[in-house]
Amino acid sequence: MDLYFDNAATTRLSDKALEAYIRTEKEFFGNPSSVHREGIKAKKELERIRESIASALSIPSASLFFTSGATESISAVFSSLLFNEPGRIIISSIEHEAVSSWIPILKHHGWDAAVLKARGGKADPEELKALLTPDTKLVAIMAVNNVTGAREDIKELVNTVREYEKRGNRRIFFFSDSVQALGKIPYDIKALGIDGASFSGHKINGPRGIGMLYLRNPSSFRPLAPAGGQEKGKRGGTENLPAIAALEQAVLSWTGSFSSGYERIGSINRDIRIALEELGMEVLSPEDASPYIISFVSPLPSEVYVRMLSDKGIAASSGSACSNNAKGEGEKILMGMGIKSSKARNAVRISFSGDTDAESAAAFIKAIKEISNGQ
Ligand code: PLP
């Protein structure tokens, strides 16, 4: 099996998560909305899990909603804007396309969108201040970037928005896509003071197709499609209970072992950075980036270098392509950080998970040395 260094794209399902999935599928097959005993049993389990995850994240369980993934969580928030009078939204220049793809849609509906440059990967609170207008309704800045691991000073950015709010009477919704942050960097929703956040199961060894939406004040949130009224009317559709149970295991495992994982991956990250630099390759990820992601400039177009790594049994990804469906998105993100397109085109991303160990890091270092030596 390949050494898997593409965990920012997706992670392997953990055994615990898989076990929880199978057990819940068998034991709690009822529809949580049904009023018979099987339904009530499933509903009870759903609410137990919500409490458990909320407690691990130190947030009220009433602020947590299960969705099919971060993309849906983000869509729920951005589509709900369409109920409002058009105003301004501000997003950072390095947002995932799940966020940035809302710009043309909102513009089409009369909204104005401002893009906050995240030079060197960092959104500057002073620059945010300059973009805030009396009709700004939403600010979206991700906690950790998926291409470089760059992390934003969300607390400072939220404070900037809250200071601005004091001038008028209108609240601005601060959203932070937190997919690459949960369990991977110190992350405390309440302390950050954000109004909304998105999370994804498959980035933390949970299943694909499950995610979460945090809403600090759910009563003021009107979803575009409440449908069957599940999730207290905030997200329609029958709850994916087995995946939610598996997600619980994923969240508990990442939050429970946060400190040791952070230290261990930090040390692996340092070793790899040193090796890359010794081989003359520039590391694009800022020094203080999430330890779980490293982007670097390879001497060849990224697709070629990624194929060479693949031939050596290492799964990495092209930092510029990001995903096969959204070719060029990663390049846009890197350019959004102020990186020239010639460098962005050669960018390669490697990303780690809790199961990345020193041995696989050593194998990666050996592989890049061989490639540099023409082997
Ligand atoms: N936001 C970020 C930062 C991501 O890395 C991803 C995954 O690629 C998403 C959002 C979308 O997540 P999901 O696959 O759960 O919809």
Side-chain angles (χ1 to χ4, degrees):
M1 202 185 345
D2 277 4
L3 283 179
Y4 189 72
F5 275 11
D6 197 17
N7 291 282
T10 198
T11 54
R12 204 174 277 141
L13 189 67
S14 74
D15 290 347
K16 271 190 176 170
L18 180 59
E19 278 159 26
Y21 188 100
I22 295 168
R23 187 178 58 78
T24 308
E25 184 64 67
K26 285 184 180 165
E27 275 182 39
F28 301 93
F29 66 89
N31 186 325
S33 297
S34 299
V35 293
H36 49 62
R37 259 189 267 173
E38 288 303 337
I40 293 166
K41 189 174 143 193
K43 174 80 176 167
K44 228 169 126 185
E45 180 64 357
L46 173 66
E47 295 313 319
R48 181 199 65 72
I49 297 171
R50 197 188 313 277
E51 285 288 340
S52 159
I53 296 180
S55 154
L57 302 182
S58 304
I59 53 171
S61 59
S63 62
L64 194 60
F65 301 89
F66 296 111
T67 64
S68 65
T71 300
E72 189 195 336
S73 304
I74 293 162
S75 288
V77 169
F78 279 77
S79 60
S80 76
L81 292 175
L82 296 172
F83 283 120
N84 295 289
E85 276 298 300
R88 167 171 276 209
I89 63 159
I90 301 172
I91 74 164
S92 87
S93 58
I94 56 171
E95 295 300 307
H96 189 274
E97 60 266 34
V99 168
S100 59
S101 64
W102 276 95
I103 288 193
I105 301 169
L106 288 167
K107 277 190 171 169
H108 178 77
H109 288 276
W111 287 70
D112 159 46
V115 176
L116 171 62
K117 268 256 174 239
R119 280 186 204 83
K122 275 266 189 285
D124 178 357
E126 282 305 310
E127 288 186 31
L128 172 59
K129 200 157 131 189
L131 292 178
L132 289 164
T133 52
D135 67 343
T136 299
K137 297 194 173 153
L138 176 138
V139 172
I141 303 173
M142 69 199 322
V144 171
N145 177 259
N146 50 299
V147 176
T148 61
R151 49 174 131 171
E152 302 305 325
D153 192 345
I154 298 296
K155 193 166 181 187
E156 196 58 36
L157 294 158
V158 170
N159 287 344
T160 304
V161 169
R162 299 293 174 244
E163 274 305 309
Y164 184 84
E165 282 172 342
K166 286 183 191 159
R167 289 199 217 161
N169 245 342
R170 220 177 305 106
R171 185 105 184 140
I172 299 171
F173 191 95
F174 197 110
F175 182 78
S176 187
D177 178 10
S178 301
V179 165
Q180 304 285 353
L182 180 59
K184 301 185 178 177
I185 61 159
Y187 178 83
D188 179 341
I189 298 182
K190 234 171 27 201
L192 293 175
I194 52 183
D195 298 301
S198 46
F199 305 95
S200 176
H202 71 103
K203 310 289 182 174
I204 51 171
N205 306 99
R208 285 167 268 208
I210 193 72
M212 300 185 287
L213 170 64
Y214 163 75
L215 290 173
R216 184 154 78 117
N217 184 7
S219 62
S220 65
F221 176 76
R222 187 175 169 199
L224 194 61
Q230 290 90 345
E231 294 295 279
K232 297 208 173 73
K234 304 302 178 196
R235 191 268 180 177
T238 304
E239 298 88 345
N240 187 350
L241 194 52
I244 291 169
L247 175 67
E248 178 194 16
Q249 293 308 315
V251 171
L252 296 186
S253 149
W254 274 89
T255 51
S257 64
F258 169 73
S259 305
S260 57
Y262 190 69
E263 290 276 309
R264 205 172 54 73
I265 299 297
S267 145
I268 286 174
N269 181 305
R270 279 189 293 280
D271 291 348
I272 293 182
R273 274 176 182 260
I274 292 169
L276 287 165
E277 280 163 357
E278 280 175 0
L279 293 170
M281 290 187 262
E282 182 187 349
V283 175
L284 297 173
S285 303
E287 280 289 324
D288 68 344
S290 157
Y292 287 87
I293 299 179
I294 302 179
S295 268
F296 61 94
V297 185
S298 84
L300 299 162
S302 52
E303 284 79 5
V304 177
Y305 199 83
V306 166
R307 213 172 329 111
M308 291 172 98
L309 284 172
S310 179
D311 289 345
K312 292 186 176 292
I314 290 167
S317 94
S318 148
S320 62
C322 205
S323 82
N324 255 339
N325 309 327
K327 283 208 162 74
E329 279 304 321
E331 193 171 327
K332 260 192 242 160
I333 287 176
L334 290 168
M335 287 161 71
M337 278 177 63
I339 291 164
K340 287 204 182 91
S341 66
S342 53
K343 270 189 195 176
R345 274 197 292 275
N346 286 15
V348 172
R349 177 185 73 182
I350 52 170
S351 47
F352 316 126
S353 187
D355 55 11
T356 306
D357 55 18
E359 255 174 41
S360 43
F364 173 79
I365 292 171
K366 181 170 172 273
I368 55 173
K369 281 186 178 161
E370 285 172 2
I371 293 174
S372 287
N373 294 334
Q375 291 169 264

